[in-house]
Amino acid sequence: MFDTGLFDPIIRKFIKLINGDPMKAVVFAALLAGLVSLDGDGSMTYMITVTAMLPLFKRLRLAVITHLW
C-alpha cells in the first residue's frame, strides 16, 4: 500500500498541519503510541505506531533506527 501511494494524500495534509517540523512529528508519534498503549497490548502499539508514522518519517527524511533487543 505504501508503494502505490495510498497514504500520500494523508501524509501531505499532515505535513502541512505540522509545517514540516520533525519535532512535532516525533511528539505526535509519542502521543499516538501512548494512546494506543492504553489497551495494554505492546505488539499492537508497535504495529499501529510504526505503520502510521513510518511513511511520514520517510517523507520528512528522519533517520529510522531499528533496535533489536
Side-chain angles (χ1 to χ4, degrees):
M1 289 188 287
F2 296 126
D3 294 335
T4 62
L6 181 66
F7 299 109
D8 285 346
I10 297 169
I11 292 170
R12 276 188 292 241
K13 286 181 184 180
F14 188 72
I15 289 175
K16 280 185 183 179
L17 179 70
I18 65 171
N19 296 323
D21 186 12
M23 181 57 101
K24 289 180 184 176
V26 171
V27 169
F28 179 76
L31 291 174
L32 177 65
L35 288 174
V36 173
S37 69
L38 291 176
D39 71 351
D41 186 14
S43 62
M44 189 58 67
T45 301
Y46 178 78
M47 289 189 310
I48 290 174
T49 304
V50 169
T51 304
M53 299 305 292
L54 186 60
L56 176 67
F57 284 179
K58 285 183 177 181
R59 181 73 58 92
L60 290 173
R61 295 187 180 100
L62 292 175
V64 180
I65 299 172
T66 305
H67 295 282
L68 298 174
W69 300 345

